[in-house]
Amino acid sequence: MTVVVEMDSEQVGALTAITGMLVDVDRTINQMLAVKEGLLALGSRLAGEIGESAARESAEPVSASQAADLLDLAGRTVATEFAAALRMSDRLVERQMGDADDKVIAFPRVWRAQGAGLISAGHARVIIEAGAHIDDAESRDAYSAQMIEFARSTSSNRVARMARRVAERFQPRSVDERHRQARRGRRVWVRERADGMAELGLLGPAALVRGAYERLTALGIACVDDRATRAETGDQRTLDEVRCDIALDLLLTGAAAEHDPEGSSADVRGAVSITVPLTTLMGLGGAPAELDGRMPIDGATARGIAAAAPVWERVFTHPSTGAILAVDRYRPSAELRRWLIARDQRCRFPGCGYLARECDIDHTEDAARGGPTDAANLGALCRRHHVMKHQTPWVVEQIGGGLFAWTSPTGRTYVDQIPVVNVSGVGGAPARADEELPPF
């Protein structure tokens, strides 16, 4: 029997109205995003003016490298002002400023088309990505005009495929030359995900990355096809799971333990900090363990790594407030540093997520000006914000209780709270079942 969906005139009218409103809202959002990019681009230009004026007004001649440093510091100053006001990472805002400036300067036709509601931000992104290496401004404009017309009637994923083809017609440089430049952007990154998971990304030469993927696939298929071993071990992993396990084994140990259904963590030797409540360590439940103070991990993994750990550093916390009470002692300077790392967990600039163990331990009031070397005058700052504190108009002070108050060049003050320590009972009260929640 064939099932057919039918709609009456009232349902058709409702769907028509909702669709129209959705189109209007989407167009407005994309237009406002173009306005935001324009403001970010203005911020980028303002940063350039600030850096150039600082170089001109310097009491001594400024070298090219010093001028570049001043421009960089000016960019950070503006980005941190925006980021603090928006409650965002200043690194992210600085990247957005650069991207917005490139868009407005290099692809003004695309930016204006988005601002006029002709194309979406997604369309604009794929058009710019495909044409990013077109050097000539006239060619970029011709390419933009052609792609905007095409984008007005189709989806961004189809625009992306067409844009790559069209961009090649305007590209004066060979693929070999462009690839040599693109290789300088190769990198690896990690992104936390929910439920004790994380995502590892890698950008590199296509032939090598594809080759690595095919090798993982071949090893995975061999493991999946080994039915006898899988039957003996009860291994029910899919090819995707096996491929992931093999990749992690190769990276961590240099060998592929293809037949470990659980993905052993016994060979993990990275420099990470794992906070494990005693009840969790004993297998009695309680609050989840945390990795580097950022994300929860399952109890079995935490206990496995703890069992293999050559050194333990105990941090004693208040059972309900999470306040740090004491740290194991070795020698005074090391004790104070461990205490600060345990307290701060991350860089103490608002919105920054750099781990404290990767940061500088900075005197809030400079030691050269009489600032004491104690917990009330020390804090973890990543190198970026450490330099910014000393070489830009941003000012920081500790106002007690581990609170850091940052004052921006415009006079706004932002207070960085002590990160919550991983203990049960910390946090706001849960919403009542009958409590009315906002619609969004």
Side-chain angles (χ1 to χ4, degrees):
M1 182 180 71
T2 302
V3 179
V4 179
V5 174
E6 296 181 349
M7 296 191 300
D8 58 32
S9 59
E10 184 177 345
Q11 292 168 332
V12 171
L15 180 58
T16 301
I18 294 171
T19 302
M21 289 187 289
L22 184 62
V23 170
D24 290 341
V25 168
D26 186 67
R27 182 183 295 113
T28 301
I29 290 173
N30 284 292
Q31 290 175 307
M32 294 307 298
L33 286 174
V35 173
K36 179 180 179 181
E37 288 169 340
L39 294 172
L40 289 171
L42 285 175
S44 182
R45 297 182 193 182
L46 175 61
E49 293 176 5
I50 294 171
E52 290 171 0
S53 65
R56 287 195 304 269
E57 296 170 7
S58 175
E60 299 179 0
V62 175
S63 66
S65 62
Q66 290 172 325
D69 289 341
L70 287 172
L71 286 173
D72 180 59
L73 286 170
R76 294 184 189 184
T77 302
V78 174
T80 46
E81 181 73 47
F82 290 168
L86 296 171
R87 300 185 300 280
M88 295 173 61
S89 162
D90 59 296
R91 291 177 175 86
L92 174 60
V93 171
E94 190 169 19
R95 287 196 298 271
Q96 290 180 344
M97 287 169 57
D99 291 343
D101 196 45
D102 289 342
K103 184 175 186 177
V104 172
I105 297 298
F107 292 88
R109 185 185 289 267
V110 175
W111 176 62
R112 289 196 299 268
Q114 180 186 330
L118 301 179
I119 61 174
S120 70
H123 289 104
R125 184 184 67 255
V126 297
I127 291 172
I128 292 173
E129 285 178 353
H133 299 295
I134 301 177
D135 299 323
D136 180 64
E138 186 175 343
S139 296
R140 279 199 306 270
D141 192 62
Y143 159 78
S144 299
Q146 185 173 341
M147 291 314 307
I148 289 168
E149 188 61 32
F150 180 77
R152 294 182 65 175
S153 60
T154 191
S155 62
S156 58
N157 63 319
R158 294 184 178 181
V159 171
R161 289 193 292 269
M162 180 60 73
R164 287 191 290 270
R165 298 173 190 168
V166 174
E168 285 299 320
R169 303 172 193 166
F170 294 94
Q171 182 53 260
R173 294 185 298 162
S174 68
V175 173
D176 289 346
E177 182 182 352
R178 282 153 35 213
H179 178 69
R180 283 194 296 272
Q181 179 178 344
R183 282 177 64 98
R184 299 183 65 86
R186 60 191 185 275
R187 64 190 182 96
V188 177
W189 67 92
V190 66
R191 183 178 297 114
E192 286 79 14
R193 301 289 292 270
D195 304 323
M197 302 292 283
E199 174 184 328
L200 180 68
L202 182 149
L203 176 66
L208 299 181
V209 173
R210 174 58 65 175
Y213 180 80
E214 295 299 336
R215 185 188 178 203
L216 290 173
T217 300
L219 290 171
I221 290 174
C223 178
V224 170
D225 287 345
D226 189 356
R227 292 183 173 85
T229 302
R230 285 167 65 84
E232 292 175 4
T233 60
D235 187 354
Q236 298 181 350
R237 292 176 296 169
T238 65
L239 176 58
D240 277 337
E241 292 176 286
V242 172
R243 192 159 38 202
C244 176
D245 293 343
I246 292 174
L248 294 175
D249 286 331
L250 287 170
L251 287 170
L252 291 169
T253 71
E258 302 97 332
H259 304 303
D260 182 3
E262 298 300 325
S264 172
S265 60
D267 290 306
V268 176
R269 292 291 183 269
V272 298
S273 171
I274 299 178
T275 308
V276 191
L278 182 59
T279 53
T280 302
L281 189 62
M282 296 172 64
L284 301 177
E290 280 188 351
L291 179 64
D292 281 334
R294 291 186 175 191
M295 58 182 298
I297 60 174
D298 64 283
T301 298
R303 287 189 290 273
I305 295 177
V311 178
W312 278 73
E313 291 186 0
R314 293 179 296 169
V315 178
F316 299 95
T317 61
H318 192 283
S320 59
T321 66
I324 297 172
L325 303 178
V327 178
D328 279 347
R329 293 187 178 183
Y330 288 95
R331 57 184 183 271
S333 60
E335 176 191 12
L336 182 56
R337 181 178 179 85
R338 291 200 308 275
W339 193 95
L340 290 164
I341 290 174
R343 181 196 70 179
D344 292 346
Q345 298 184 44
R346 47 144 176 83
C347 172
R348 296 306 305 274
F349 185 83
C352 184
Y354 261 53
L355 299 178
R357 58 181 171 78
E358 299 173 352
C359 293
D360 301 330
I361 299 300
D362 172 65
H363 285 76
T364 305
E365 181 184 353
D366 294 348
R369 299 180 179 179
T373 304
D374 58 26
N377 189 50
L378 295 173
L381 293 182
C382 70
R383 185 57 55 86
R384 173 189 180 89
H385 294 122
H386 191 174
V387 171
M388 189 188 74
K389 173 204 162 194
H390 289 289
Q391 298 184 9
T392 76
W394 278 86
V395 176
V396 61
E397 61 176 331
Q398 293 199 44
I399 55 177
L403 302 178
F404 283 63
W406 290 81
T407 303
S408 78
T410 62
R412 297 189 183 194
T413 297
Y414 305 92
V415 177
D416 187 65
Q417 305 282 341
I418 297 177
V420 176
V421 178
N422 179 35
V423 295
S424 58
V426 175
R432 301 190 311 274
D434 60 348
E435 185 175 350
E436 185 176 352
L437 298 177
F440 302 107

